[in-house]
Amino acid sequence: MRPRTLLFWLALAVPAALMVADLARGSLAMDLLHPTGELSLRLMVLALLPGPLVEVFGPNRFLRGWVAIRRNLGVAAFGYGLLHLAFYAVDMGALQPIVAEFTLPAIWTGWLGFAFMLAAAAVSRDAAMAAMGRRLWKRVQQGIYAAFILALSHWALLDRDWAPPLIHLAPVALAWVLRFVVRVNRRFNRRTFA
């Protein structure tokens, strides 16, 4: 691993280390659920944005660098999702109450979102892409969009407040709208000049 990549991963790990240290010092696991979930979502936003932005603005140096770390951001989002799940398990204290809550929409949306994140993270290496073929690999990776929507729903249903999740959705939705407009404009120009 290159030194710059190692430093990047160390920076991504700092919040997790601080949260685990808080738990070790006696903080309640319940108090660490929101920060881990929100950080996971923010990292997902950062992982989802560069693709459409490159298509809209073209591959400049900044966006190429962002695309280069996109996979790391996605894996880090999964890591914070896993930490969120670990704190949830500690907070619940036993398997029975976890199972009892599973059918609640606010809970199963989180579990299903985590399953999509797990699938994408499990095949996030170049070797997995080579073994699966680019097409299948990309389809599994696109599950992160479902994970993102499910995680936003999980948050909104738990807090009974759609405003914070919609704020996190806004940049991704805007990037996708811009991408759609650019694609439509390109098709129109091709037909006009054909």
Side-chain angles (χ1 to χ4, degrees):
M1 187 180 288
R2 291 182 296 176
R4 198 179 337 182
T5 306
L6 182 61
L7 282 173
F8 182 68
W9 273 105
L10 286 172
L12 287 171
V14 166
L18 293 172
M19 290 178 207
V20 170
D22 278 350
L23 184 68
R25 284 194 301 266
S27 290
L28 296 175
M30 177 176 47
D31 294 336
L32 299 167
L33 289 172
H34 186 79
T36 50
E38 192 169 341
L39 189 50
S40 178
L41 264 168
R42 288 180 180 177
L43 288 166
M44 267 195 270
V45 168
L46 290 173
L48 292 172
L49 281 175
L53 292 179
V54 165
E55 196 167 332
V56 171
F57 299 109
N60 60 51
R61 185 177 176 184
F62 174 74
L63 289 175
R64 276 197 305 268
W66 194 353
V67 166
I69 62 168
R70 174 175 54 181
R71 197 183 304 179
N72 293 332
L73 292 167
V75 172
F78 168 74
Y80 279 97
L82 185 61
L83 189 58
H84 180 74
L85 179 59
F87 288 149
Y88 172 68
V90 169
D91 181 53
M92 297 303 279
L95 184 60
Q96 184 182 4
I98 293 173
V99 172
E101 280 192 343
F102 190 78
T103 57
L104 299 172
I107 301 301
W108 68 255
T109 50
W111 281 104
L112 188 55
F114 182 76
F116 278 108
M117 288 177 74
L118 174 61
V123 298
S124 67
R125 298 176 338 268
D126 290 337
M129 186 195 310
M132 297 171 70
R134 186 164 176 78
R135 190 176 202 167
L136 177 59
W137 181 84
K138 191 165 187 158
R139 193 169 296 147
V140 173
Q141 288 297 316
Q142 288 171 339
I144 200 66
Y145 294 104
F148 181 61
I149 297 301
L150 286 162
L152 291 171
S153 301
H154 170 65
W155 185 4
L157 290 167
L158 278 174
D159 286 358
R160 296 189 176 131
D161 182 6
W162 282 91
L166 288 175
I167 289 168
H168 285 74
L169 174 64
V172 176
L174 179 61
W176 275 84
V177 167
L178 289 172
R179 177 189 235 177
F180 175 76
V181 169
V182 165
R183 285 182 178 181
V184 168
N185 194 33
R186 282 184 192 144
R187 284 185 191 148
F188 177 75
N189 288 337
R190 277 189 211 129
R191 287 182 188 159
T192 302
F193 295 110

